[in-house]
Structures are given as structure tokens and as C-alpha cells.
Amino acid sequence: MFVTNLEKDFYDVIQRSRCLLLVNFDIDAICACRILQQLFKNDHVIYTLVPVRGIQDMINAFEENCEEIRNVIMINCGGTLDLVELLQPDESVVFFILDSHRPYDLCNIYSENQTCILGKPDEENEIPEYNDIFRDDSTDEEDTDEGSDNENESGQSKRRRLNEEDILRRSERRKWIENRATILFNYSQYSYYGKSSAILVFEMAWNMSKDNLDMAWWAIVGSTEQSILSKVESRITVLEEGSLQAHVSRLTRRQGADINKQQQQSIVKVTYDKDLQLALYRHWTVEASLKYSMPTAVSLRLWSIRGEQRLREVLAEMGLPLVQSRQLFRAMDLTFRQEFKQMVEKLAGKYNVNSIIGSSFTLQYGYRFKYSASDMVYAMLALLDSTTKDRQPQRCFLDTLDCLSRTNKDTVEDGIEKAKLMLHNIFKTAQSILEAKQVQNFGSFLYLNVPDRNIDTYLFAHPHPLIMLAQFALKAYVNCSRNRHAPEWPLVASAMFNAEEGSCLLVGIPPVCEDQPKR
């Protein structure tokens, strides 16, 4: 069932006893978790946090921590599964589902007590009626029992019992089953994403008058991750940005009224302003940021033989010397730093890269801690997907969670350095795939496989880098394809997940022509 009054039917309930917090490995879930942790800390709520990467992890985490647990909070996991059937919990256990994955499992939606979905139903996605999906077959069972008790009746007697009423009942049941199958197919044929879980938790804190600028920033980062990975359509992103900007303005005014002039330099500042959608350009060189950002790399075809020359031509036309473009942005001459945005804006239309002109939120704390929301997302993605034999996923999860703390600047900087390497490797892999023409056309969809011999194979055993590689490859393929149907084709990408088990990771990317990203 859906829970719309989160304060009364969710937050007040979980404060009564220790709860289990199961959090998926994605940035939106981590941001939502961080907001909840802050609320729990303020209200002295006892909880156990367990990160989960898949269904088996979720089952193991529940079995290991279910003793004396009555409330389980699922963040970006569990919503698309029948939790009661999967986990077999005691009747006293209640699952609170905070999941941006869609569509929800119908058993969770129509559960009366044991599964509670936080938030309102999606207006655009019609949920099937209960009677169209679930049916009480006790009458049919009684008919069957009667038939078995009378097995010794004569053939003539049996034929008499098979009257018109039985035939109509069976015909009606067949039609109901066929209609149910059609409804379920239409409901579950696509997977997609709904509202950011971080924003939902932040709005709950706001309604309880327990919100602050840090929580607003975490909600911004969670929403930005959805935008960077194209999880939601651009229209929703714009609406969410407007709502978050209003919250930031309100909280900034409230904060300003509570402090004196001596404290001005140490407060948190979140600003929303016009910005370039170039990856990490404030912490990288201009040349590298232009080369490894997807919009510019695709529009300028930087993976091609002439790509390097074309990039130099663009820099020359901007009036930016190579010496300046190849040193860190913060080390460039002040004049070039101040005019860089205007330089890019003048050439955006000419080179068809208008998508890099946009707006962004920026967090500043003191003089040295200043990062945009996209910087934070890239850093967190790189930390989250940096697992190795010596570095366990749980350690990566905790480091990513620490990224959201203003006192852990070193962790953020480490994440940014890892993000640079990640974006570089994604570009190089996409370049080799495109040059070798390894994007295969299967008529109704495109397919690519990351070669096992690739030196960066370990990177693409994680979903987020593989998604970014697939998005890059699809847009590049469409950009240079002469087939007019290319924008209508989705892409499926695969990469080796576990060589010992012979398993692979698959991701699906919707067509370029569709703004609503359903997979």
C-alpha cells in the first residue's frame, strides 16, 4: 500500500524500535540514506545499515539481521519484487519501500499491512485494478472437490452436472486469465525511474521542519545523478531543479537570520547559477574536460582520426592558447577563467553543443571547499565503482557516503581523481569500439560487447561505467550513421562480470529519439 503521510505513518512508526536500513549501490540511494541518518541522529533512532548490490545480497542481509527487527527500510531496492514471497518474513515485520525503480510489484502495492510504499502513486503510470489481477478461486476449488467426490457417478450423471453454468464459469475464468496476462504485460513491459528517493526524504524532513541546507544539498546530488545518467526525462529534471532552488533560497534566508557577521565565512552556501555541463572542468584541464565530456565528444566526433585536430581548432577559435588549455583550470590566467563560459557559449551553436549550456547548483564551505553537484556525482560514482580484490564493495560504499560530509575534503578529491581516470577509460574504450565498428545492428536494436582483453574490463563489471559507455557509444553511432532509423534503435551492451563463473553484465539504453527513458 502507498503511504502519503510520511511523518505519521512512517517516521513516527520507525522511531519505536531499532530498524534495518537496506541501501542500494547508487548515488540517489546513498543521498537518501544520508538524510535519514541525519534525522536519526537528531532523534536518537537506533538502526542497522547494510549496503546491498543485488537480490542475493538483500536476502542475506535480511536473514542475518532480522532478529528483533520489526521495521525494514528499503532504499532503491525491493520495490519491483514481491518482498513477502522472497524474504518469507514474520507477520510482525513491516517493509517500508523507498524506491525510485519502476514499476512497483503489484503484491507490494496491494499488501494491506506488511509492505508500505513511501510516496504517492505515479500519475502517468496506471496501476491495474485489484480484481483484474487477483481472484478468489475458492468457488472453483469447491467445484473441483465436488467433481472428485462423485467420480463413481455414471457418465450420464456427469454430463448432467456439466451444465451451462459450469461452462459459462470456465469461459469467464479463461477470459479473465487472458485479460490478466495482457494487463500484466502492459504494466511491466518497461522498466524506468520515478522521483528521486533523496528528494522524497528531504521533503519529509521539510514537512517535519527538520530540514537544513546540508539535507537540501544531498537531495540536489541525488537528483543530479538521475540527470547525468539519463534516468529521468529532462522535463522532470527542470521541475525538480526549480523546486530545489526554492528550498535553497528559503533555507539560506533562514540561516542568514540565525548567524552574526563573524560566522559569515564558515557557513554553508548553496548557489544556483548558469554553468557549463562539462565534466569536472573546474578540477581538470579545459582540453581534457572538452574531450571526455559526452556532449562535446559526440558533437565534435573526437573519437575519429580528425577528432584531435578538430578539438585544437575549436580551442583556437575560442582564443584559448594550448598552454592555457593544458593546465589545471584553477591555474589558468584569471582572464581566461572568467571568460571561459562566454567563449564556449559563442561556439555552442556553431558546433551543435547547446546541451552543455545549462544551470547547476554549487556548494561552498569556507574558501577551499567548493564543488558543483555534477562534480560530486562523478566523484561518488568513481568511488562507488572502484572495487578490487583488495577493496571490498562495502568499503567503497562507506567512502562514497563519506563524500557527502563537508569535513572529508580529501575523500572528495580522491573521488575526483578516480573520476578523471574513469571518464578517460570510458572514452578510450568507446573510441576503440567505434573505430573497430563493433556496434552491431540487429535490425530492431544495436548491440555492443566490451572485449574481454580490454585493459579496463574490470571497470565495466560495474553498472554505472557500463551505462555511460553504452550512452556514449549509442549517441556516437547515431551521430555518424547514415541510416535515418538509427535514432529509433535502442542499444544493449554487455561486459564480463565474473570470468570464473562465466557471467556477464547487461544494460539496455533507450533510443536517442525518446526523451522518456524507458528500458
Side-chain angles (χ1 to χ4, degrees), residues 192-219:
Y192 59 101
Y193 290 86
K195 186 171 185 173
S196 162
S197 297
I199 290 181
L200 197 62
V201 179
F202 170 73
E203 289 177 346
M204 179 187 74
W206 168 48
N207 290 327
M208 296 189 299
S209 299
K210 295 180 179 181
D211 59 331
N212 56 38
L213 265 178
D214 281 325
M215 292 183 183
W217 173 249
W218 299 331

Side-chain angles (χ1 to χ4, degrees), residues 324 327-339:
Q324 294 288 330
Q327 57 185 325
L328 290 177
F329 184 79
R330 60 175 174 265
M332 289 169 55
D333 289 349
L334 179 61
T335 305
F336 290 119
R337 290 206 309 270
Q338 292 175 337
E339 296 178 357

Side-chain angles (χ1 to χ4, degrees), residues 41-204:
K41 180 181 179 180
N42 295 341
D43 295 323
H44 309 289
V45 178
I46 301 173
Y47 66 94
T48 300
L49 170 63
V50 183
V52 295
R53 288 208 300 175
I55 296 176
Q56 192 57 51
D57 274 5
M58 188 168 60
I59 295 172
N60 295 340
F62 178 76
E63 291 177 349
E64 292 171 4
N65 298 277
C66 64
E67 293 183 7
E68 300 181 1
I69 290 290
R70 292 293 173 265
N71 299 311
V72 182
I73 305 171
M74 321 280 291
I75 302 184
N76 281 2
C77 60
T80 60
L81 304 168
D82 184 353
L83 291 177
V84 176
E85 178 70 23
L86 180 68
L87 302 177
Q88 300 292 321
D90 294 336
E91 293 183 358
S92 59
V93 175
V94 178
F95 295 99
F96 292 97
I97 300 171
L98 179 64
D99 196 352
S100 62
H101 295 89
R102 302 289 190 274
Y104 292 123
D105 186 271
L106 293 173
C107 293
N108 294 333
I109 293 176
Y110 287 112
S111 171
E112 294 183 358
N113 301 309
Q114 210 157 8
T115 56
C116 301
I117 301 174
L118 306 184
K120 300 177 181 178
D122 296 331
E123 296 179 358
E124 297 178 357
N125 187 36
E126 295 184 4
I127 298 173
E129 296 293 333
Y130 179 87
N131 291 331
D132 291 335
I133 305 300
F134 303 99
R135 179 185 175 110
D136 185 7
D137 287 338
S138 58
T139 306
D140 297 334
E141 292 174 1
E142 290 174 4
D143 293 341
T144 304
D145 293 339
E146 289 179 8
S148 60
D149 292 339
N150 297 324
E151 283 181 357
N152 296 326
E153 293 183 13
S154 64
Q156 185 178 0
S157 176
K158 287 183 180 180
R159 285 192 295 272
R160 272 199 305 271
R161 293 183 60 82
L162 192 62
N163 54 30
E164 293 182 3
E165 185 178 345
D166 295 326
I167 295 173
L168 289 173
R169 187 185 300 117
R170 292 176 184 178
S171 176
E172 180 186 349
R173 177 174 173 76
R174 280 195 301 271
K175 290 179 181 178
W176 181 85
I177 291 174
E178 292 173 358
N179 184 56
R180 179 180 185 272
T182 302
I183 292 173
L184 285 176
F185 175 79
N186 292 334
Y187 176 72
S188 60
Q189 63 176 322
Y190 296 113
S191 62
Y192 59 101
Y193 290 86
K195 186 171 185 173
S196 162
S197 297
I199 290 181
L200 197 62
V201 179
F202 170 73
E203 289 177 346
M204 179 187 74

Side-chain angles (χ1 to χ4, degrees), residues 294 297-299 301 303 430 434 439 469-481 512:
M294 190 186 306
V298 171
S299 297
R301 300 188 183 183
W303 68 88
L434 292 166
V439 178
L469 172 66
Q471 290 174 340
F472 190 165
L474 177 60
K475 290 181 179 179
Y477 180 90
V478 172
N479 182 274
C480 60
S481 175
V512 172

